[in-house]
């Protein structure tokens, strides 16, 4: 904690004027810290490891009001926080639960908010919302689509034949370049009622939406139906990483997830299929003979875990029938 004058000045600011820097070595901790910062209404200026902070010269010129540090607090860290003339520094915090552990995660987040509220003498922080309950969500199923070369036409045909009134939210990961990804919503929105957009900020899943994973930043989903945008690039050769997202969504949504792999080159998406099977998530694929590039759906089929193969129109009908059958079985 810094001197009272700085804290008093901080309390005069609107929440969105308060700038926070997160420094943590663990990826999960960085996600949880940054998510909590945003839910408080603060401005997150960076979410990095200590090594990354030292490499990012632009951050050294930013006025930082609060440091959240889960890293070794050595002389170099102490020098940096002192030089920033921040109002508060919080060093160390308990390990955040996994995002799919909704109750434990919400409890962890409330604990961090209480700590911040006490440090800053801002009791109103405790009034900011964390999770909405599952009862408030408008969707019942998440449909994850993976596609690459030849994917836009296949995904468009699929969307044209899936009613946007179904209780599903669609999450699309498509290998594209940064210039072209912005054209996808316009292509996919035509002739159907799906609301397609590239994810540009953390948000909630909504029925009738098709959210497109960005190329330049990672996203993760949690069990409360949030898509959290991370301040870091995708790792590996493929961007966005279909396999990484497929594992994340399957771990979180389990049997409420339907994965469909469309036309594409390579085998991205086939890395974690045993885990997808263990989570009882559905796994379907476009017919390779009807794909502009068959290798990606063929890799899914060759795994032995694929439950349905068909054209984009067939896959749309299968999805509609599957959700109808699940609804009927639940009503019995």
């Amino acid at each position: 904690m810094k001197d009272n004058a700085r804290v008093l000045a901080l309390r005069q600011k609107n929440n969105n004027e308060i700038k926070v820097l997160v420094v943590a070595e663990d990826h999960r901790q960085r996600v949880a810290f940054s998510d909590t910062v945003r839910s408080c209404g603060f401005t997150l200026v960076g979410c990095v490891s200590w090594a990354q902070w030292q490499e990012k010269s632009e951050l050294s010129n930013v006025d930082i009001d609060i440091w959240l540090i889960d890293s070794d607090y050595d002389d170099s860290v102490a020098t940096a926080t002192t030089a920033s003339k921040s109002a508060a520094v919080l060093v160390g915090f308990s390990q955040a639960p996994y995002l799919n552990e909704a109750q434990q995660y919400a409890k962890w987040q409330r604990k961090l908010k209480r700590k911040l509220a006490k440090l800053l003498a801002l009791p109103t922080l405790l009034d900011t919302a964390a999770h909405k309950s599952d009862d408030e969500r408008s969707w019942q199923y998440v449909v994850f689509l993976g596609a690459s070369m030849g994917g836009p036409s296949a995904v468009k045909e699929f969307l044209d034949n899936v009613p946007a009134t179904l209780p599903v939210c669609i999450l699309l990961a498509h290998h594209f370049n940064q210039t072209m990804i912005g054209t996808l919503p316009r292509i996919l929105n035509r002739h159907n009622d799906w609301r397609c957009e590239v994810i540009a900020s953390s948000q909630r899943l909504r029925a009738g939406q098709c959210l497109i994973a960005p190329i330049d930043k990672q996203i993760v989903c949690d069990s409360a139906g949030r898509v959290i945008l991370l301040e870091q690039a995708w790792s590996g050769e493929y961007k966005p990483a279909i396999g990484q997202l497929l594992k994340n969504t399957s771990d979180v949504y389990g049997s409420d997830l339907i994965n469909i792999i469309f036309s594409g080159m390579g085998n991205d998406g086939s890395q974690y299929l045993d885990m997808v099977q263990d989570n009882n998530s559905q796994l379907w694929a476009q017919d390779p003979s009807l794909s502009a590039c068959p290798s990606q759906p063929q890799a899914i089929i060759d795994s032995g875990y694929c439950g349905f193969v068909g054209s984009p129109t067939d896959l749309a009908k299968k999805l509609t029938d599957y959700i109808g059958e699940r609804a009927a079985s639940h009503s019995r």
Side-chain angles (χ1 to χ4, degrees):
M1 179 61 127
K2 299 301 180 69
D3 64 61
N4 291 335
R6 292 174 189 168
V7 174
L8 182 62
L10 191 62
R11 294 209 302 267
Q12 309 307 311
K13 294 184 176 182
N14 295 323
N15 279 15
N16 63 0
E17 297 174 321
I18 297 175
K19 297 181 175 64
V20 182
L21 176 67
V22 169
V23 179
E25 302 309 309
D26 181 73
H27 168 75
R28 192 199 327 168
Q29 201 78 338
R30 288 198 297 271
V31 172
F33 272 133
S34 61
D35 180 39
T36 305
V37 166
R38 291 191 177 100
S39 74
C40 290
F42 299 154
T43 296
L44 182 69
V45 298
C47 183
V48 294
S49 67
W50 180 244
Q52 290 170 331
W53 185 88
Q54 292 175 306
E55 294 170 0
K56 292 188 178 226
S57 58
E58 68 274 12
L59 287 178
S60 62
N61 299 318
V62 176
D63 291 331
I64 299 168
D65 297 308
I66 304 170
W67 289 69
L68 294 181
I69 301 173
D70 196 19
S71 181
D72 291 336
Y73 194 79
D74 56 19
D75 290 342
S76 60
V77 179
T79 299
T81 57
T82 301
S84 72
K85 299 180 180 179
S86 59
V89 178
L90 176 59
V91 180
F93 202 69
S94 59
Q95 177 65 50
Y98 286 100
L99 289 173
N100 60 328
E101 299 171 337
Q103 290 185 340
Q104 296 93 326
Y105 182 80
K107 183 178 180 181
W108 179 92
Q109 194 173 66
R110 286 194 298 271
K111 182 179 177 183
L112 177 56
K113 285 186 176 182
R114 283 197 297 270
K115 186 73 172 177
L116 290 170
K118 184 177 179 180
L119 274 175
L120 305 173
L122 289 174
T124 54
L125 279 187
L126 300 177
D127 299 329
T128 56
H131 285 293
K132 290 186 179 180
S133 71
D134 285 352
D135 294 337
E136 294 177 86
R137 71 188 192 186
S138 63
W139 52 275
Q140 295 176 23
Y141 302 94
V142 175
V143 180
F144 175 71
L145 310 180
S148 185
M149 186 178 296
S153 60
V155 172
K156 167 117 178 68
E157 181 183 339
F158 173 78
L159 291 177
D160 287 349
N161 288 279
V162 175
T165 53
L166 287 181
V168 303
C169 179
I170 293 175
L171 182 64
L172 170 62
H174 196 300
H175 297 157
F176 241 164
N177 62 44
Q178 187 62 43
T179 303
M180 296 297 292
I181 192 71
T183 66
L184 260 183
R186 178 172 51 83
I187 293 169
L188 300 178
N189 278 335
R190 290 200 307 261
H191 311 129
N192 62 58
D193 295 323
W194 288 95
R195 303 185 304 278
C196 303
E197 62 177 276
V198 178
I199 297 166
S201 62
S202 297
Q203 58 188 282
R204 290 190 175 275
L205 299 176
R206 298 284 184 229
Q209 273 188 331
C210 175
L211 298 176
I212 303 168
I215 302 296
D216 57 337
K217 293 180 181 179
Q218 291 188 37
I219 57 169
V220 292
C221 298
D222 73 6
S223 59
R226 294 179 304 169
V227 182
I228 301 168
L229 186 68
L230 306 181
E231 298 298 324
Q232 62 189 86
W234 296 98
S235 57
E237 179 182 358
Y238 301 107
K239 305 178 191 305
I242 292 173
Q244 181 180 331
L245 273 173
L246 194 153
K247 180 183 183 301
N248 166 231
T249 51
S250 181
D251 285 344
V252 171
Y253 303 121
S255 62
D256 292 334
L257 175 71
I258 300 99
N259 303 290
I260 308 176
I261 303 300
F262 288 94
S263 175
M265 183 181 295
N267 62 352
D268 187 22
S270 61
Q271 304 97 311
Y272 305 104
L273 297 187
D274 52 344
M275 297 179 184
V276 173
Q277 180 80 1
D278 291 342
N279 290 329
N280 296 316
S281 303
Q282 292 294 310
L283 181 64
W284 306 341
Q286 183 179 357
D287 187 335
S289 69
L290 303 175
S291 303
C293 191
S295 58
Q296 197 159 301
Q298 188 64 58
I300 299 299
I301 296 167
D302 291 345
S303 72
Y305 294 127
C306 187
F308 182 79
V309 178
S311 69
T313 300
D314 293 336
L315 289 161
K317 184 177 186 305
K318 173 68 173 176
L319 176 64
T320 305
D321 292 345
Y322 175 80
I323 291 175
E325 291 165 2
R326 288 281 300 267
S329 66
H330 290 162
S331 66
R332 293 184 189 131

